Amino acid sequence: MKALTPLKKYKVKVLLAPLFKLFECVCELFVPFLVKDIIDIGIVNSDGTYILWRSLIMLALAIAGFGVTMITQYLGARVSADYAYDLKKEIYHHLDAISSSQLETFGKSKALTLINNDSFSLQVGVNMFMRLLVRAPFLVIGSVISAFILSPLAGLIVLGALLLSSIVIFVVMALTPKKYQAIQEELDHISTLGEDDLTGARVVRAFNKEEAEQAHFQKASLSYRKKAFALARINAFINPLTFAFTNLGVFLVLYLAGYQGSGSGVSVGTAVALMNYLAQALTALILFSRLITSLSKALASKKRVDDFFAITPDIVDGPKTSAPIEVGSTLFSFKGVSLSFGGEEYALKDLNLDIKAGERIGLIGGTGSGKSSLVSLLERFHDASEGQILFQGQDIKDYNLNSLRGNIALVSQKPQLYKGTIKSNLLLGDPDASEEMVRNALQDSLAEEFVSKFDDGLNHPVEEGGVNLSGGQKQRLLIARALLSNRPILILDDSTSALDYKSDLMVRQNIKKRHDLTTLIVSQRATSIRDCDIIYVLDHGKIAAKGTHDELLTNCAIYREIYETQVAVK
């Protein structure tokens, strides 16, 4: 996949636009010849009929040129907008396709810049390409040829003025691409700083680091401004120098016309026509400089987008679909599974465990013991670095991702809600859920307690990230959403940490009533998993022990220490 691949389906329109522009240029190039004839023949001979016919021809050319111009403008605007839409969609799909670790390596802020800034630069580049690629060079070359036809000496003047102007433009074109690339990288950096400051606003305020963060952001902004100004200074030479050279050409043409009697061959009509061609060529050069500027930005953005599409997803779909889950059957089997995130150390090391349908599995361990890493393997957010994971007796990599993940309802330790309403967030679990199903899910998660207190109930607004709700309220809504999805496997990844012990117990009891539901509870609270069928104790990425609550109290010092400490604190 390349940045320009989505443009292929519009290739007919992309080719038509320059052809229409070519016709428009031909119309424009004929007009100065008609003006010359009107002045040198019609006006000099006082021939009104001749003037009228030449004027009507000019009017017809103007109407025809205007018509094809409108068509070209429409094609350019429509194709570039549709292309940008398709490109953004492809970038978004690729973001979904690559793994979490690949996205972290590439950079989330950089990905957002691709969707917003880089795709817009490419949109503008395509629009300018369709409208100006043929028009600008053809007008310049046509104006020079027409000038030579009118007067070889005047043609040399026009050619000289345009060559000098072209040199300026091409020098600028050679200097700017790398600078545009550097500016885009500065935008990535500023986006990252902005995202970090917004996400960690409470931490910044808690440690009184507002001034330090402001200074950091100001430094990045000044660096961006410095590079933007350097680029602007280079681009600023284009207009004044091209105007200067063109006006010099106008001066020399008029000076040459003053010596008509000495054999210069430049009549008044010819001089007017030559100035028209100079003006047309100047306009074309200015437009060409804009085209070069837009294409320089677009090429810099194209490279960044191509680099992003060059990332090959390391999590690939398999052909298999999952079979109906039968209670008692083995769902997941870990056989010597290890996981590394690219460093020398392993997040998980040599895991061997089975998860059967209908079981309640508990995972406990200290911070960094590998609990969430194990969960990420179940949904293939990451693939095992060593060993093999089986799902329903087959390699998990052989399954279609939608089929695999369609069996699992995950409530992560970082509650994520979206801007909308409580109802719109819940219906992400099942868009077709009935009112009764929604109420049952709310009751089982204890979310009904606070939802019922809102005057607007389920239509109560939820701000981005759920910032207008407490941590406990967000967790209960996410549990309700997972229950509403009615999937056979439920994973609670430390998702009751914001609930008090009593609420935590009641939620687990309500979930337990849902028969045939395979539940995996990840927690740092021993009380949250004590009634599980089997508990795995993780320590430094390894299984330190497994068994029931009572067995672990007797046989596992790590588990006993965790439980006794928490019971004593409680």
Side-chain angles (χ1 to χ4, degrees):
M1 179 70 182
K2 297 287 186 179
L4 296 180
T5 301
L7 199 59
K8 287 183 178 179
K9 67 179 182 180
Y10 306 110
K11 59 184 178 182
V12 174
K13 294 180 181 178
V14 172
L15 293 175
L16 275 178
L19 291 177
F20 283 128
K21 276 294 180 182
L22 192 62
F23 178 78
E24 177 197 347
C25 291
V26 171
C27 293
E28 288 189 35
L29 290 173
F30 268 113
V31 170
F33 277 105
L34 295 173
V35 171
K36 171 187 173 299
D37 288 345
I38 288 173
I39 294 174
D40 289 346
I41 300 175
I43 294 177
V44 170
N45 298 324
S46 301
D47 189 341
T49 303
Y50 186 88
I51 294 173
L52 177 61
W53 278 110
R54 286 293 187 272
S55 298
L56 289 174
I57 294 173
M58 287 176 60
L59 179 61
L61 290 174
I63 293 174
F66 175 79
V68 295
T69 298
M70 290 297 99
I71 294 174
T72 308
Q73 298 291 89
Y74 170 78
L75 288 175
R78 184 58 187 266
V79 169
S80 61
D82 289 344
Y83 160 72
Y85 169 79
D86 292 338
L87 179 62
K88 290 178 181 180
K89 187 167 63 175
E90 292 296 335
I91 293 173
Y92 188 83
H93 286 169
H94 198 63
L95 281 174
D96 276 347
I98 63 177
S99 66
S100 301
S101 57
Q102 287 178 306
L103 179 57
E104 293 293 341
T105 301
F106 183 79
K108 293 180 180 179
S109 298
K110 189 174 181 180
L112 290 175
T113 306
L114 288 180
I115 293 177
N116 296 316
N117 190 278
D118 289 300
S119 60
F120 179 73
S121 294
L122 283 164
Q123 176 183 348
V124 173
V126 168
N127 192 1
M128 299 290 280
F129 177 87
M130 291 177 64
R131 291 168 45 212
L132 301 178
L133 179 68
V134 169
R135 173 181 168 79
F138 191 81
L139 268 184
V140 171
I141 296 171
S143 296
V144 172
I145 293 173
S146 299
F148 271 102
I149 292 173
L150 291 173
S151 170
L153 185 57
L156 287 174
I157 295 173
V158 172
L159 178 61
L162 295 180
L163 282 176
L164 290 173
S165 299
S166 299
I167 290 172
V168 174
I169 290 173
F170 281 105
V171 168
V172 171
M173 183 177 67
L175 294 174
T176 53
K178 290 185 178 180
K179 294 186 180 295
Y180 281 120
Q181 181 76 17
I183 285 176
Q184 293 298 97
E185 290 173 359
E186 289 292 338
L187 281 175
D188 290 339
H189 184 47
I190 290 174
S191 297
T192 301
L193 290 178
E195 182 183 7
D196 289 345
D197 286 343
L198 290 173
T199 305
R202 292 185 179 181
V203 177
V204 171
R205 292 168 185 165
F207 287 93
N208 294 324
K209 292 293 182 179
E210 291 94 337
E211 291 185 4
E213 288 301 312
Q214 289 172 7
H216 196 187
F217 190 85
Q218 184 178 15
K219 181 180 178 182
S221 298
L222 288 173
S223 177
Y224 169 78
R225 187 177 73 170
K226 181 179 179 181
K227 291 179 180 179
F229 276 1
L231 181 62
R233 289 190 192 99
I234 295 174
N235 287 329
F237 281 101
I238 293 178
N239 282 5
L241 286 179
T242 51
F243 273 110
F245 293 138
T246 305
N247 287 330
L248 177 62
V250 170
F251 168 76
L252 292 176
V253 168
L254 291 175
Y255 182 80
L256 186 64
Y259 285 86
Q260 182 178 0
S262 63
S264 67
V266 179
S267 64
V268 175
T270 300
V272 172
L274 288 170
M275 284 188 287
N276 278 335
Y277 283 125
L278 269 172
Q280 285 182 355
L282 172 62
T283 303
L285 279 175
I286 297 299
L287 292 176
F288 189 68
S289 69
R290 289 174 56 194
L291 173 64
I292 295 304
T293 300
S294 297
L295 290 182
S296 296
K297 290 181 180 179
L299 288 173
S301 294
K302 178 184 179 299
K303 183 180 183 306
R304 288 160 50 85
V305 175
D306 286 345
D307 289 344
F308 173 67
F309 282 134
I311 301 174
T312 303
D314 53 18
I315 306 293
V316 183
D317 257 340
K320 292 183 178 295
T321 56
S322 61
I325 294 175
E326 298 179 2
V327 176
S329 63
T330 301
L331 288 178
F332 293 96
S333 291
F334 282 59
K335 298 184 179 298
V337 171
S338 298
L339 176 64
S340 170
F341 294 110
E344 296 182 359
E345 296 185 2
Y346 284 92
L348 297 172
K349 184 65 177 176
D350 196 26
L351 297 189
N352 292 280
L353 61 89
D354 291 328
I355 299 175
K356 294 184 177 180
E359 280 187 332
R360 290 169 55 80
I361 305 294
L363 287 178
I364 194 169
T367 302
S369 60
K371 302 185 297 297
S372 294
S373 297
L374 190 153
V375 169
S376 72
L377 292 176
L378 295 177
E379 293 221 58
R380 285 198 72 198
F381 295 145
H382 298 92
D383 276 335
S385 305
E386 298 174 9
Q388 187 181 35
I389 301 174
L390 302 181
F391 177 65
Q392 294 185 325
Q394 301 290 326
D395 194 319
I396 196 171
K397 296 180 182 178
D398 293 338
Y399 283 91
N400 177 274
L401 288 173
N402 287 336
S403 175
L404 171 68
R405 294 170 182 171
N407 287 296
I408 303 172
L410 171 65
V411 184
S412 64
Q413 56 184 313
K414 294 182 179 179
Q416 180 61 56
L417 293 171
Y418 301 93
K419 186 174 178 61
T421 63
I422 290 176
K423 186 174 183 178
S424 68
N425 274 276
L426 290 176
L427 291 181
L428 290 174
D430 182 3
D432 300 321
S434 64
E435 194 79 17
E436 182 182 359
M437 293 169 64
V438 172
R439 290 295 176 186
N440 288 338
L442 288 173
Q443 289 170 3
D444 286 348
S445 66
L446 303 187
E448 180 71 17
E449 292 181 2
F450 67 89
V451 172
S452 60
K453 294 178 182 178
F454 294 133
D455 293 336
D456 40 9
L458 289 172
N459 294 317
H460 186 74
V462 175
E463 298 300 327
E464 185 178 353
V467 294
N468 58 328
L469 299 173
S470 69
Q473 289 174 333
K474 287 188 282 189
Q475 285 189 340
R476 281 180 279 179
L477 285 177
L478 292 183
I479 293 172
R481 184 169 70 190
L483 295 175
L484 191 62
S485 68
N486 200 32
R487 296 179 180 181
I489 304 170
L490 173 65
I491 300 177
L492 302 175
D493 185 4
D494 204 18
S495 52
T496 58
S497 57
L499 303 183
D500 58 73
Y501 285 91
K502 181 180 178 181
S503 298
D504 182 12
L505 175 62
M506 292 176 66
V507 169
R508 286 185 285 109
Q509 288 176 341
N510 290 338
I511 293 174
K512 192 174 182 180
K513 294 175 184 176
R514 295 182 174 236
H515 302 294
D516 301 339
L517 181 63
T518 305
T519 309
L520 180 64
I521 302 176
V522 181
S523 180
Q524 296 188 39
R525 290 180 182 175
T527 54
S528 296
I529 59 172
R530 62 180 299 169
D531 58 347
C532 289
D533 300 319
I534 186 169
I535 300 169
Y536 290 91
V537 181
L538 295 180
D539 184 43
H540 294 93
K542 298 180 179 180
I543 297 177
K546 68 175 182 178
T548 63
H549 171 71
D550 293 334
E551 290 172 346
L552 290 173
L553 282 179
T554 303
N555 303 324
C556 181
I558 296 174
Y559 184 81
R560 184 169 56 250
E561 181 182 356
I562 293 173
Y563 178 74
E564 290 176 350
T565 302
Q566 291 176 353
V567 170
V569 171
K570 181 180 175 183

